[in-house]
Amino acid sequence: MWMLPCNDLIIIGNSNFMQPLPLIKDEEQEDTINPSVVACLEACKFCLVFPQESPHDAVPKSRRPHYSDKLKVLFVKEEQQCPFTFSCDGSCLPEGVCLRAVIVYIRREDAKECVRRCADHSAIDQDGGTHLMSSRHEQVVYDISGGQLSVVVPYFSGQEGELGRTFTFEFACRSSCKTPLKHRPMQVVFTLEKGDLILGKDTVVVKVSSSPYRDMKNAEEKLDGETRMLKADVAESARKRKLKSSSASWHVGDETYQAMVQEDIAFAQYARQKHPEWWNEYHKDLGSSFDNGSE
């Protein structure tokens, strides 16, 4: 095992793999891709998958990575090998395809900052130097160019399984480590690359801690509590809106009734003044109706 800086790369392992690889390109590159390459992108269907956890796994639950479908977050333990499985139709991929993994901060105000190890873990003599993410692959490349720290491995050398190919990576720091991480949310961006082209891309939000299973359960319970409170607030708001709507309808009806009464009074005054004979006759008939009704 040896390490050599080369064109802003740190190369570990086989010298046949010593070639500079591009960082993640902007989506603007799609304008320059010919139709045959676009067809390849659609055909390979590259994506990250999380197999169902087995109850017979030999690794203790407290040390295993856990993916939460509810939170869409992968909880992993620091300095513990974490397998990542990728689904991809390898038959449509050319030779020399590489898998690149780079960690980025999620928040917009942090997006341009490079994600690196904290000072304490950088002082530890480990492969990867300041890279937060590392690999034990024999042909791993630690890229330090372009303002980001990425890990690159040849894609076709991974362990092939039913779902695709599996690669293991490690995370040197916890998300709670002091500067520069400081609990800032981050995600891993995986890209399938061939030369200057990106053939596939997928991402996953990660949280690194000493007890991933505990943290996942606590986060899910917190989300469930917040969801219940939100549903209760929505139900209460709906109830208040319904009461307010009913009250408004009653007031509208009351105002309409008052308007009708005023119209009747105005009509009676007009009839009594302009047509006194008719009014007197009408009033007599009205009075007799009440008198007969009272009997």
Side-chain angles (χ1 to χ4, degrees):
M1 183 69 68
W2 45 270
M3 182 177 297
L4 173 69
C6 175
N7 294 337
D8 288 333
L9 300 178
I10 296 178
I11 312 297
I12 294 181
N14 195 327
S15 59
N16 294 330
F17 198 57
M18 292 175 59
Q19 53 180 334
L21 292 171
L23 275 175
I24 297 172
K25 316 298 184 306
D26 293 332
E27 295 180 357
E28 296 176 356
Q29 73 161 350
E30 295 180 1
D31 296 337
T32 62
I33 299 178
N34 61 53
S36 61
V37 175
V38 174
C40 178
L41 294 178
E42 296 176 350
C44 71
K45 298 178 181 179
F46 174 79
C47 66
L48 182 62
V49 294
F50 297 96
Q52 200 73 17
E53 292 187 19
S54 172
H56 306 293
D57 199 319
V59 181
K61 185 180 293 186
S62 60
R63 299 177 64 86
R64 295 202 303 262
H66 299 276
Y67 180 75
S68 171
D69 283 318
K70 187 179 297 184
L71 301 167
K72 305 303 179 186
V73 176
L74 177 66
F75 293 81
V76 300
K77 182 174 177 59
E78 83 280 6
E79 299 178 1
Q80 184 78 18
Q81 291 193 55
C82 177
F84 289 88
T85 301
F86 301 90
S87 174
C88 181
D89 184 3
S91 62
C92 69
L93 296 178
E95 295 183 0
V97 174
C98 301
L99 176 69
R100 180 185 298 272
V102 57
I103 306 179
V104 297
Y105 290 117
I106 296 176
R107 291 195 301 234
R108 184 181 297 272
E109 59 268 26
D110 302 326
K112 294 183 179 181
E113 185 177 341
C114 177
V115 181
R116 60 180 70 246
R117 296 184 189 181
C118 68
D120 292 340
H121 287 100
S122 294
I124 300 176
D125 185 17
Q126 291 179 326
D127 293 340
T130 58
H131 285 64
L132 177 60
M133 198 171 180
S134 62
S135 171
R136 298 186 183 183
H137 196 283
E138 294 180 354
Q139 293 179 303
V140 62
V141 174
Y142 292 100
D143 192 346
I144 59 175
S145 63
Q148 294 287 0
L149 304 179
S150 59
V151 184
V152 187
V153 294
Y155 182 74
F156 285 111
S157 63
Q159 180 182 356
E160 190 170 2
E162 294 181 0
L163 293 174
R165 296 185 178 273
T166 301
F167 299 83
T168 57
F169 296 93
E170 296 181 24
F171 298 84
C173 295
R174 303 178 189 175
S175 299
S176 59
C177 279
K178 55 188 178 181
T179 304
L181 300 180
K182 298 183 295 186
H183 290 285
R184 287 186 288 181
M186 56 190 179
Q187 65 181 354
V188 183
V189 181
F190 292 99
T191 52
L192 203 58
E193 302 179 359
K194 168 63 176 178
D196 292 333
L197 296 178
I198 294 179
L199 304 177
K201 178 180 178 180
D202 205 355
T203 63
V204 61
V205 179
V206 295
K207 182 175 182 181
V208 190
S209 66
S210 60
S211 182
Y213 183 75
R214 178 201 62 195
D215 289 350
M216 181 187 71
K217 287 302 180 183
N218 290 342
E220 288 182 340
E221 290 176 2
K222 181 180 179 181
L223 177 64
D224 290 340
E226 292 174 349
T227 302
R228 285 193 297 269
M229 291 180 62
L230 179 60
K231 288 182 178 179
D233 290 343
V234 170
E236 180 66 14
S237 298
R239 186 185 69 83
K240 290 181 178 179
R241 284 197 302 271
K242 186 175 181 180
L243 290 175
K244 187 176 181 180
S245 176
S246 300
S247 177
S249 299
W250 172 256
H251 287 309
V252 170
D254 190 42
E255 291 172 2
T256 304
Y257 173 75
Q258 294 293 336
M260 292 172 62
V261 171
Q262 293 297 328
E263 288 179 359
D264 288 344
I265 293 174
F267 173 76
Q269 291 176 347
Y270 172 81
R272 188 168 55 185
Q273 293 174 4
K274 299 296 183 179
H275 304 279
E277 295 181 357
W278 178 86
W279 172 255
N280 291 334
E281 190 67 25
Y282 170 78
H283 198 263
K284 284 182 182 180
D285 293 339
L286 187 63
S288 61
S289 298
F290 278 106
D291 292 339
N292 294 333
S294 60
E295 293 176 355

